[in-house]
Amino acid sequence: MYSFTNRFSGPSLRERVLMMNSHRSGSSVWWRYGIWVLLMGAMAFACRHKQSRSEQVLNPTTLPATNPTRGLVVDLEDKQTWYRHMALFNNKFGTEVVVGKPVILQLKENRFVLPEDYKYSSAVYINGKEAPVDALQKLSPDYVSELFVIHQWENFAEADQEAKPYQIMIQTSSQRIPNNDRREQFFSLLRAAAISQNPLGETRSFNMNQLLEATFFHNKNALVERTKNEHLSLYDEYAKSVDVFINNLPATPADVKTIHVREVARLYAKERPYLEWLRPDNPLSRFVLNIHTSPKRAKRDSTYYVFSPFYTGDF
C-alpha cells in the first residue's frame, strides 16, 4: 500500500494563509500607488510633448516670421482657411518650392504679370505692404527673395467673404539673389505660364464624335482641325512644335492630312510639362499628337453609322 504526501498540509500552506490574513501597513500600499501615478503622468507628458513637436514639423504655420511677408503668411495660415498655393522661400534645408494649379502669376520679359482673369480676385503685398497689381511689373525675379501665393479654401463656413481669394506676397532684397536650380525651375514655370495655359502638362483624349465637336467649335486642344475635304490638318501654330504618331508609329504633319475624319478611332493630344520643352539644353517638342485609326470605317455608309450633328459628310 502506497502512501501519498499531501502537499497542502505542509508549512508552505500555513505561511500563505498567514500572509493573506496579515494586515499590511497603509504606507506600503500608498507609495506603490504613488509611483504608478507618477509613471503614468510622465508617459502622458512625453506623448503630449512628442505630439506637439510633430505638429510643429507638419504645420506650415511654423514658418518663422523673420520678415514682414512671412508675418502676413503666418497670420493667414493661423486662420486655418488659407493654404500655400504657390511658394518660393528659404528654410534650413535650402530653397523650398510649392507649385499648384492654376499658375496665376506669370513672367513676361523678366517682369511679373497677373493675367486679367485673376486681377480682380488677387491682392498684392510687397514687403508686407499692400500694393496695386501694376506694381508687380516693376519687380525683377533677381531681387525677389521669397514669394507666396496664398489661396483661401472654397466653401468654408469660416472663410473671409470680404477677402480676395488669392493673396500674393513678395519679399524683395536690395541685393541680387544668388540663383540655384530650384529658383530657376520656379521662375521658368512662371515664364511657361505666360506661354501655355497648362505649363505643368496636360493630356486630352478624343473619340471621333468628340473630335468632330472640337473641330466644329475650333477647340485647339485637339491640335488638329477638319479640312474642307473632311480630312485632318494640324493647326499652323502647332506644326513646328509637335511630335506626330499614327497608330503609335512616328509620322509627319503631312501624314496627318491623309487621315479622313471618320477614320479616327481615338486621338490623344498631349502637352508636355514645361521642364521638358522650356529648357536651354535639348528641349523636346511641346506637344505630342497620337492618332489611332480604324481604316474599315472608310467602307461604311450611313446605314452603319449614326450621323454626328457636327459632321455633314457621307458615312
Side-chain angles (χ1 to χ4, degrees):
M1 184 174 181
Y2 299 95
S3 62
F4 294 90
T5 302
N6 187 350
R7 297 180 59 187
F8 296 100
S9 61
S12 60
L13 179 58
R14 289 194 296 269
E15 290 175 359
R16 292 177 184 177
V17 173
L18 290 174
M19 290 175 63
M20 292 174 61
N21 294 330
S22 63
H23 297 283
R24 298 181 180 180
S25 61
S27 59
S28 63
V29 175
W30 287 109
W31 72 265
R32 295 181 181 180
Y33 280 109
I35 293 177
W36 181 81
V37 172
L38 289 175
L39 288 175
M40 294 301 294
M43 291 176 62
F45 178 79
C47 293
R48 184 175 180 181
H49 180 65
K50 183 177 181 180
Q51 182 180 4
S52 63
R53 293 194 62 182
S54 300
E55 290 176 351
Q56 289 181 355
V57 173
L58 297 175
N59 194 344
T61 59
T62 57
L63 183 73
T66 55
N67 57 50
T69 297
R70 288 189 173 199
L72 293 177
V73 171
V74 171
D75 288 343
L76 283 182
E77 291 180 335
D78 281 343
K79 297 179 180 180
Q80 304 298 319
T81 58
W82 298 81
Y83 71 96
R84 295 175 202 172
H85 179 73
M86 296 183 65
L88 171 71
F89 60 97
N90 301 312
N91 56 27
K92 61 182 179 180
F93 302 107
T95 302
E96 184 74 17
V97 170
V98 178
V99 175
K101 290 183 178 182
V103 182
I104 71 166
L105 197 60
Q106 303 176 358
L107 270 176
K108 290 183 179 180
E109 298 179 355
N110 218 34
R111 288 292 183 268
F112 293 96
V113 176
L114 195 61
E116 292 292 334
D117 294 343
Y118 297 102
K119 284 186 177 180
Y120 178 76
S121 59
S122 301
V124 176
Y125 295 84
I126 299 176
N127 297 329
K129 297 181 179 180
E130 190 169 5
V133 172
D134 295 340
L136 289 172
Q137 299 181 4
K138 300 178 181 179
L139 301 179
S140 170
D142 296 334
Y143 293 89
V144 170
S145 59
E146 295 185 318
L147 184 154
F148 298 87
V149 178
I150 310 299
H151 188 211
Q152 186 167 220
W153 292 104
E154 299 178 0
N155 302 322
F156 263 52
E158 299 82 4
D160 187 352
Q161 302 299 327
E162 297 182 359
K164 295 185 177 181
Y166 290 100
Q167 305 277 311
I168 302 173
M169 303 174 182
I170 299 177
Q171 186 69 30
T172 64
S173 172
S174 59
Q175 299 180 349
R176 183 184 294 271
I177 306 298
N179 206 5
N180 57 46
D181 292 341
R182 284 187 167 267
R183 284 179 60 89
E184 182 62 30
Q185 289 181 6
F186 182 81
F187 290 128
S188 293
L189 171 62
L190 303 192
R191 294 185 180 95
I195 301 171
S196 167
Q197 294 183 351
N198 303 293
L200 297 174
E202 188 77 22
T203 300
R204 294 182 173 88
S205 173
F206 301 84
N207 58 28
M208 190 202 69
N209 287 326
Q210 291 170 335
L211 178 60
L212 289 171
E213 180 180 356
T215 55
F216 181 84
F217 289 109
H218 301 285
N219 178 4
K220 295 186 177 182
N221 289 327
L223 304 180
V224 298
E225 60 181 339
R226 189 183 66 190
T227 62
K228 292 182 179 180
N229 64 351
E230 309 301 345
H231 284 67
L232 300 182
S233 178
L234 279 166
Y235 285 105
D236 292 338
E237 58 262 44
Y238 302 140
K240 295 182 179 180
S241 58
V242 62
D243 292 331
V244 179
F245 297 86
I246 298 177
N247 297 320
N248 295 325
L249 298 176
T252 66
D255 295 328
V256 175
K257 296 182 179 180
T258 65
I259 300 176
H260 195 282
V261 66
R262 70 187 177 201
E263 296 181 53
V264 176
R266 180 70 62 173
L267 181 146
Y268 298 93
K270 175 182 178 180
E271 183 172 2
R272 289 188 169 108
Y274 76 102
L275 290 175
E276 298 183 16
W277 56 269
L278 189 64
R279 63 187 190 189
D281 57 325
N282 301 319
L284 300 178
S285 298
R286 179 178 162 191
F287 300 98
V288 179
L289 175 66
N290 195 346
I291 305 174
H292 292 247
T293 65
S294 181
K296 292 182 179 180
R297 288 182 180 174
K299 298 180 181 180
R300 295 182 177 181
D301 57 28
S302 58
T303 60
Y304 292 93
Y305 218 90
V306 178
F307 279 95
S308 167
F310 308 103
Y311 179 78
T312 58
D314 182 15
F315 274 90

